[in-house]
Amino acid sequence: MTAKIIVTNDSSAMPVFALSNSSVSYIFRVSIEGLLEHLHFGGRVEPSSCYPSEPKRLHRGCVVEFQNSPHYNLSDVPQEYPVFGTSDNRLPAFHAINADGNSTQVFRYKSYQILDNKPDLEGLPSARGGASKSLVVTVIDDISNLRVELSYTVYDDHNVVARSSRIINDGANRVTLLRAMSSCLDLPAADYDLLHLGGTWAREFNQDRLPVPKGRFVLESATGASGNVHNPFISVMDKGTTERHGRVFSSAFVYSGNFSINVEKGEFDSVRVTTGINPFNFQWQLDSGESFTTPESLQVFSNAGLNGMSQTWHSFIKDKLSPENYQGVPRPTYLNSWEAAYFDIDEDKVLELADRTKSLGLEMLVVDDGWFEGRNDDTTSLGDWYSDKRKFPNGIEAVAARVKQKGLKFGLWYDLEMVSPESNLLLDHPDWIIGVPHRVNSKGRNQLTLDLSRSDVQNYLFARIDQILSSGSIDYIKWDMNRTMTEIGSSRLSVDRQLETPHRYMLGLYCLIKKIVTKYPQVLFENCAAGGNRFDLGMLHYMSQGWVSDMSEPIGRLPITNGASHIFPPCVQASYICPVPNHLNGRQVSLKTRVDVGFFSAARGLSLSAEDIDKDFEALKRYVQFYKDTADDVVNGQFYRVQYHDNHVVWQLNSANSKTVYLGYFHILSAVNLPFRKAHLVNLDPESQYLLTSDFGVTNEQVDSHLSFGGDALMNMGLDLPYVSALQAEGKDYLETGDFTSRLFVFKKR
Ligand code: DGJ
């Protein structure tokens, strides 16, 4: 069913807005005071002028009533864009200092517009429209002369509502924005759990689930990047919700800078979820006639549990958010030089790795860090984006051309937003960095952050990367970013605008990236920030894939992939087969398990030295072929979390045409007398037979063709998972003994 926006009038002749598709509805109305009251977000409800549930006006003890409205206490009224100081005690969506110095506003309904085309968010990444309808509701505060346009988009085929707001100063004097959230979702009082993702470097995306507490639960970043400590994503769900059952509300922010997601359970137990730019260390001077557009906040509803929520996010990201040029396109298998050579890279080594890349059947060679002027370790050279003459006497473009002559693609690494204190760039332009006067600049990985709010900095960076990309020899860019902001200020901004620096940086960054990706649509861009330090929907709007984590060791990667999969589909995730023992955690894991975990990312490769490759050459060659054969299925398929336990993990991936089903089983630590476990597969055809064509890599890929199971049996009875025991006999019912083992079952629908 196509998305619809129906506007009716309630019994007081006030407008009621109902946005729906065949599965979900988002409904709100205008109260008699002109305020926007939220009525419903969830399963589809036929638009009507009368609903069985609505905000109440009943006598409560010891509360303040909104401006002469009897029994109208805003602390218990679900609202669309709540403000501070007019009887709502919860954290508002909006807070600003008016020209007369106070911070009171009352936004009342003025008008609405229904659009077939989703409005563009100036200078910001946002989901595409198409097969959607948008509603823009205008509210005004006639004392401060502030106007806010609240924008909502509902889609035909996705259970997603996209929200943003635009604040316009129609007054004669400056207003200072302190808090301008992109969305507010007020949920009725109930027992909810919340789930969020976070961690730190090399341990990103750990999932954490807890009951929504009384008070306020806050996820935020103030470091200039969305960060790896908390991802700008949250789920709030009915208590008892599982992977497959239950109602889930989820919000994610299409932004890569400072964010704040607040879940507040107020005095009457209703729950408010606000998503937007972090108000901490934020101020924006809005002069007369100016406007401020908030980034986009996406709201998802699923009544099929957390997997249902993830399916919604995955298909929406694929269809509406990821760049269209690589949508559904299998990603090249690759060799990345980082863990193969680190900074010790030169023309000979690149050509040697290119030969190995070719002979393994891989499709692309990526030269990571270390290729530019004087870059022999991480203490120098960022900013000086010229080929190192000693390592690459003919220039990196010439090497790229030679690699391409071998029939390979060529990729290159940049950390463009950064500058090393020891660099010609900083000598020439000491004022080009993020910093504040008279303070020492703290360094992260020996580097400083360039001030991308400045157009001269953007222009310089564009010229540097453009010079290399215009050679036509580069097929892929790994866009890294290896530190967050400290001592935050810009030499270009006036004293009263210093707290605008982080958002202006993001606008500058997006402007630069957009210019580059628009000029080079054939280039595949990978977002990286020391792994997942800025892995968000903002960056993924411009770049088709991301380096999820520097944790390349598969057992360390399991919780990261599992956590990230709550929102991100395999098609945006990159991984590679690491050397053993792993360089970060020292773990020794078999090649098979490294391959099997990596299977569930669409961008797959390896980062091994020539010697490491030679040791496992034949096996690697087979695995590379397997990755290539399955590339289409993984980039276009549907991923499901089947089981996630301390000691084992099961994931499933169904190809887009549903004909092939992959089931990955990862067993972490060996132990004795473990339970027998089974996995209940998801979303199969109950009436079809599924032939177990390969149990990849266990028995030299022998096809066990006699095993054919009904889809109904695989889903309802479950598949016995192989058993691990040091006491075991040989056979298909066993995993190899020892720690860190895996199986990858491949079923073909008959
Ligand atoms: C951090 C990235 O996450 C790594 O993959 C690698 O590219 C290094 N930077 C290079 O300095």
Side-chain angles (χ1 to χ4, degrees):
M1 188 188 136
T2 54
K4 283 200 176 121
I5 297 176
I6 307 281
V7 186
T8 52
N9 285 327
D10 66 9
S11 53
S12 317
M14 302 306 277
V16 184
F17 302 96
L19 300 83
S20 310
N21 62 21
S22 57
S23 313
V24 295
S25 292
Y26 190 109
I27 305 175
F28 61 100
R29 72 175 181 194
V30 182
S31 77
I32 45 172
E33 293 80 5
L35 309 185
L36 298 184
E37 290 181 343
H38 179 77
L39 293 179
H40 172 72
F41 179 42
R44 182 186 153 73
V45 170
E46 189 60 28
S48 161
S49 53
C50 178
Y51 294 107
S53 120
E54 59 177 11
K56 299 282 176 290
R57 290 169 191 247
L58 297 174
H59 176 73
R60 284 199 190 270
C62 203
V63 293
V64 176
E65 294 174 338
F66 173 76
Q67 305 188 342
N68 301 330
S69 298
H71 304 322
Y72 198 45
N73 167 238
L74 294 183
S75 277
D76 203 18
V77 173
Q79 294 157 78
E80 289 299 310
Y81 208 63
V83 295
F84 169 70
T86 60
S87 84
D88 189 341
N89 298 330
R90 296 166 294 175
L91 210 55
F94 184 83
H95 190 211
I97 304 174
N98 298 323
D100 51 9
N102 66 63
S103 64
T104 300
Q105 298 88 22
V106 177
F107 288 117
R108 295 187 204 263
Y109 171 72
K110 175 81 179 151
S111 61
Y112 75 89
Q113 245 191 315
I114 295 176
L115 307 167
D116 287 331
N117 293 323
K118 183 170 184 278
D120 219 25
L121 299 192
E122 287 154 38
L124 288 162
S126 60
R128 287 180 290 279
S132 65
K133 283 267 182 315
S134 296
L135 170 73
V136 179
V137 175
T138 301
V139 293
I140 54 167
D141 175 45
D142 52 14
I143 296 184
S144 66
N145 284 317
L146 280 171
R147 174 162 47 107
V148 182
E149 293 173 353
L150 299 171
S151 178
Y152 302 78
T153 299
V154 59
Y155 289 86
D156 293 2
D157 304 319
H158 301 282
N159 296 338
V160 175
V161 175
R163 291 196 54 181
S164 64
S165 28
R166 183 162 168 259
I167 298 124
I168 305 120
N169 182 358
D170 288 329
N173 298 309
R174 172 180 280 193
V175 165
T176 303
L177 302 183
L178 300 174
R179 178 181 181 84
M181 302 309 272
S182 301
S183 67
C184 167
L185 178 65
D186 276 349
L187 299 169
D191 281 337
Y192 300 106
D193 278 353
L194 66 83
L195 181 143
H196 66 108
L197 307 168
T200 180
W201 173 71
R203 285 196 291 109
E204 301 88 344
F205 292 110
N206 281 274
Q207 63 208 54
D208 186 24
R209 179 170 171 165
L210 59 148
V212 170
K214 195 97 175 172
R216 214 174 277 151
F217 176 87
V218 182
L219 300 173
E220 60 184 28
S221 78
T223 59
S226 51
N228 50 24
V229 181
H230 308 291
N231 195 260
F233 155 87
I234 201 156
S235 310
V236 176
M237 65 203 109
D238 285 334
K239 209 171 207 60
T241 292
T242 65
E243 282 287 8
R244 301 190 193 188
H245 304 283
R247 295 186 320 144
V248 186
F249 307 88
S250 181
S251 181
F253 201 29
V254 188
Y255 189 63
S256 315
N258 298 340
F259 76 95
S260 179
I261 299 181
N262 285 256
V263 179
E264 178 167 3
K265 188 168 183 173
E267 60 186 312
F268 302 115
D269 284 359
S270 50
V271 169
R272 168 169 292 173
V273 184
T274 49
T275 302
I277 291 178
N278 192 352
F280 173 74
N281 203 40
F282 167 84
Q283 269 192 13
W284 195 273
Q285 308 301 346
L286 200 63
D287 284 329
S288 170
E290 287 183 347
S291 68
F292 180 86
T293 303
T294 71
E296 188 160 82
S297 160
L298 300 173
Q299 318 298 315
V300 155
F301 173 75
S302 156
N303 60 8
L306 286 163
N307 258 310
M309 170 201 74
S310 299
Q311 298 313 310
T312 305
W313 280 120
H314 293 186
S315 63
F316 187 75
I317 290 168
K318 284 184 203 173
D319 191 21
K320 297 292 181 193
L321 213 114
S322 284
E324 284 174 297
N325 49 352
Y326 277 90
Q327 219 173 32
V329 178
R331 305 300 152 76
T333 50
Y334 64 92
L335 189 149
N336 177 298
S337 66
W338 182 238
E339 292 190 49
Y342 294 101
F343 298 97
D344 187 16
I345 189 84
D346 59 21
E347 183 160 335
D348 288 346
K349 215 167 232 174
V350 169
L351 294 174
E352 184 190 31
L353 288 174
D355 285 338
R356 294 299 191 290
T357 306
K358 185 73 189 166
S359 54
L360 281 175
L362 292 161
E363 294 152 297
M364 178 165 75
L365 177 71
V366 177
V367 173
D368 208 283
D369 203 345
W371 62 269
F372 47 98
E373 195 65 60
R375 181 76 166 175
N376 298 319
D377 55 34
D378 66 11
T379 59
T380 70
S381 308
L382 293 170
D384 300 342
W385 297 106
Y386 301 89
S387 307
D388 184 289
K389 287 282 167 327
R390 195 180 52 80
K391 299 176 179 179
F392 299 100
N394 305 306
I396 196 77
E397 299 97 314
V399 180
R402 287 186 66 185
V403 169
K404 285 173 75 73
Q405 276 160 14
K406 294 178 193 285
L408 295 169
K409 293 177 186 291
F410 185 84
L412 201 56
W413 177 94
Y414 278 93
D415 194 349
L416 219 52
E417 299 162 63
M418 299 291 152
V419 64
S420 303
E422 212 179 297
S423 65
N424 294 327
L425 183 67
L426 199 64
L427 273 182
D428 294 346
H429 300 286
D431 57 336
W432 274 17
I433 51 168
I434 294 285
V436 296
H438 317 302
R439 305 260 171 214
V440 174
N441 287 311
S442 304
K443 292 200 262 314
R445 207 196 187 202
N446 305 304
Q447 59 200 53
L448 301 168
T449 308
L450 286 171
D451 181 1
L452 267 84
S453 72
R454 295 173 61 128
S455 53
D456 47 3
V457 174
Q458 291 168 34
N459 292 340
Y460 168 79
L461 297 175
F462 179 77
R464 297 300 346 116
I465 195 168
D466 185 45
Q467 196 227 328
I468 301 257
L469 286 178
S470 61
S471 70
S473 303
I474 314 294
D475 303 289
Y476 156 105
I477 292 287
K478 179 171 173 183
W479 183 293
D480 208 346
M481 192 285 285
N482 278 293
R483 65 155 291 171
T484 50
M485 289 180 196
T486 52
E487 294 86 24
I488 300 165
S490 167
S491 54
R492 268 290 161 86
L493 293 174
S494 54
V495 169
D496 52 350
R497 289 190 182 271
Q498 286 296 310
L499 299 193
E500 297 178 10
T501 305
H503 184 56
R504 288 191 183 275
Y505 179 97
M506 288 319 305
L507 294 174
L509 174 65
Y510 289 143
C511 175
L512 172 66
I513 294 176
K514 189 170 176 188
K515 201 163 152 192
I516 298 166
V517 300
T518 309
K519 182 159 181 195
Y520 296 103
Q522 76 286 5
V523 173
L524 174 63
F525 286 86
E526 179 166 313
N527 167 48
C528 173
N533 201 12
R534 201 173 57 188
F535 198 102
D536 54 60
L537 297 179
M539 292 307 283
L540 290 172
H541 177 65
Y542 300 108
M543 306 200 179
S544 300
Q545 59 193 47
W547 183 240
V548 190
S549 175
D550 278 351
M551 178 44 65
S552 54
E553 181 280 302
I555 300 304
R557 222 1 134 87
L558 282 173
I560 297 171
T561 303
N562 200 79
S565 78
H566 282 85
I567 167 163
F568 300 112
C571 67
V572 303
Q573 300 192 38
S575 70
Y576 58 54
I577 298 169
C578 66
V580 286
N582 181 264
H583 298 172
L584 296 187
N585 63 13
R587 199 174 272 147
Q588 187 100 26
V589 179
S590 71
L591 183 55
K592 170 162 174 52
T593 300
R594 283 178 280 159
V595 170
D596 287 353
V597 174
F599 172 84
F600 290 90
S601 304
R604 302 175 293 181
L606 45 93
S607 188
L608 299 174
S609 65
E611 300 73 55
D612 285 340
I613 291 172
D614 293 345
K615 266 187 258 154
D616 285 318
F617 188 79
E618 288 308 322
L620 278 169
K621 212 169 150 183
R622 275 190 288 119
Y623 288 130
V624 167
Q625 190 56 47
F626 177 63
Y627 273 1
K628 282 160 75 174
D629 292 345
T630 55
D632 193 289
D633 285 350
V634 179
V635 84
N636 288 302
Q638 282 176 305
F639 174 94
Y640 303 90
R641 293 177 302 279
V642 178
Q643 285 180 28
Y644 184 73
H645 291 278
D646 287 349
N647 207 30
H648 77 275
V649 176
V650 184
W651 296 327
Q652 183 183 333
L653 188 130
N654 292 4
S655 67
N657 61 11
S658 306
K659 290 201 169 134
T660 310
V661 176
Y662 302 88
L663 192 81
Y665 171 48
F666 308 100
H667 195 279
I668 301 174
L669 292 180
S670 169
V672 289
N673 279 359
L674 288 170
F676 293 119
R677 296 197 184 266
K678 18 166 131 199
H680 293 265
L681 278 73
V682 193
N683 208 12
L684 305 184
D685 175 2
E687 297 184 355
S688 292
Q689 283 290 311
Y690 289 82
L691 184 71
L692 180 59
T693 58
S694 133
D695 190 347
F696 190 77
V698 170
T699 53
N700 288 332
E701 296 78 52
Q702 282 160 4
V703 175
D704 207 352
S705 57
H706 65 283
L707 288 176
S708 178
F709 307 108
D712 52 355
L714 287 168
M715 290 192 293
N716 298 326
M717 275 176 90
L719 174 79
D720 284 337
L721 291 169
Y723 189 71
V724 187
S725 165
L727 309 172
Q728 70 195 37
E730 294 293 313
K732 68 178 171 48
D733 291 334
Y734 292 94
L735 266 182
E736 65 193 279
T737 52
D739 299 336
F740 321 133
T741 48
S742 68
R743 290 276 272 268
L744 185 61
F745 300 97
V746 185
F747 295 95
K748 293 276 178 197
K749 186 173 159 190
R750 287 170 129 175

